[in-house]
Amino acid sequence: MKTKTKKRLAGAAGILIILCLLLAVDAVTGDPLSRAWAEWRALHRAETLYPGQDFYVTSSYSGQFFNYGATVQSATSPDTRFDVTTWLWLFTEDYAQEQVENRWHTCYRMGTEGADEIAKILARDAPELELAGIYGAEGRTVELDLAWEPDGAGAGRSTPANYLENFPLDAPFEPSLLQKVPSRICLQVLWNGTPTREDLDHVLHTLKQVLEQNDLPVTYYDVALVPMDGYSSHEELLDMVVESGAMAAADIA
């Protein structure tokens, strides 16, 4: 009897070890069934928050430590898109308030539309300015941050929740928006030779003049002049770059 008991205990211990190993692997890599369950819960949450709309999952991610995320998108409202996380299969949290109701996606989309419009105007009215691509901006040369407010550290961020009435869901960008909310334009201008502060002041003046003549009164200009040659290392290049930081339009002569 003792031998049988020992075998049963050994078998149970073996099964327990296997289960622990499976859970450990699942915690690191996730599993497709849990991911599918999390996607279903995300869709259910979206349809509960926004009844009458059809949703689909645009992407799902993570799975580590039993935490799964999914991004859900409305089929009829481009700006109704938000992330939902599910952990331990039973607990779900959504970010609809921040991303949809506080108009983060609306603000970002309008900014992208405005940036594309500004890039076309600069190519037409200031062709002498050769713009470099904005890092992480999908090949665009202009970044326009709407509802942008500087902070005490000299940086800043977009705060669309402070200007909700100006960001109707799914509405297109209108130039008149720049008269209602603060904004920041970011771009890099490629420069022959070593740029100077005087060169930067001239570029800032040109940008402000062109945009305001086209009824696009940007509040802050964040511009960098980047040399195309005359350096032998990346560090030397960085030392030659001339930057304005977030400079108020009122301070540009």
Side-chain angles (χ1 to χ4, degrees):
M1 292 295 294
K2 290 183 179 181
T3 301
K4 290 183 179 180
T5 301
K6 288 180 179 180
K7 288 182 178 180
R8 289 172 181 171
L9 290 174
I15 293 173
L16 182 60
I17 290 172
I18 291 172
L19 290 175
C20 289
L21 289 174
L22 289 174
L23 285 173
V25 172
D26 194 18
V28 174
T29 64
D31 67 85
L33 289 178
S34 296
R35 185 180 299 276
W37 171 249
E39 292 179 0
W40 182 87
R41 289 181 68 90
L43 289 171
H44 179 70
R45 176 64 65 90
E47 291 165 356
T48 300
L49 291 174
Y50 300 98
Q53 296 192 48
D54 292 327
F55 286 86
Y56 58 93
V57 174
T58 61
S59 63
S60 57
Y61 46 90
S62 191
Q64 290 188 334
F65 305 110
F66 314 109
N67 191 334
Y68 295 81
T71 301
V72 289
Q73 170 72 62
S74 168
T76 55
S77 171
D79 292 343
T80 305
R81 180 178 77 257
F82 57 96
D83 296 318
V84 182
T85 58
T86 296
W87 66 99
L88 294 177
W89 303 284
L90 297 176
F91 304 99
T92 300
E93 181 181 11
D94 68 77
Y95 298 89
Q97 182 62 44
E98 175 186 358
Q99 297 175 336
V100 180
E101 300 305 319
N102 287 350
R103 299 297 192 263
W104 170 251
H105 286 314
T106 304
C107 178
Y108 179 81
R109 176 187 53 76
M110 285 186 176
T112 300
E113 293 174 3
D116 291 342
E117 186 169 333
I118 288 173
K120 293 177 183 177
I121 290 172
L122 292 178
R124 181 192 69 204
D125 295 350
E128 70 277 12
L129 299 180
E130 185 176 352
L131 304 184
I134 296 294
Y135 178 75
E138 301 173 0
R140 292 190 299 275
T141 56
V142 176
E143 176 184 338
L144 179 63
D145 302 318
L146 299 173
W148 190 87
E149 298 177 338
D151 60 24
R157 61 190 181 94
S158 292
T159 56
N162 294 343
Y163 306 91
L164 285 179
E165 68 276 10
N166 298 296
F167 293 102
L169 206 65
D170 303 322
F173 169 80
E174 297 289 347
S176 60
L177 178 63
L178 297 180
Q179 299 175 1
K180 303 172 185 176
V181 305
S183 58
R184 178 185 68 163
I185 185 175
C186 300
L187 51 82
Q188 296 181 347
V189 179
L190 298 177
W191 202 258
N192 285 313
T194 302
T196 65
R197 180 68 208 194
E198 289 73 21
D199 294 327
L200 179 61
D201 290 341
H202 176 72
V203 169
L204 288 167
H205 172 79
T206 300
L207 289 169
K208 178 183 176 182
Q209 185 179 49
V210 168
L211 294 187
E212 292 187 352
Q213 285 176 349
N214 285 276
D215 298 320
L216 292 163
V218 173
T219 315
Y220 298 94
Y221 289 76
D222 195 337
V223 179
L225 302 189
V226 182
M228 292 188 288
D229 51 34
Y231 56 88
S232 57
S233 66
H234 182 68
E235 290 74 16
E236 189 175 353
L237 166 63
L238 294 179
D239 288 339
M240 294 170 65
V241 172
V242 180
E243 300 177 282
S244 68
M247 188 171 182
D251 296 331
I252 299 175

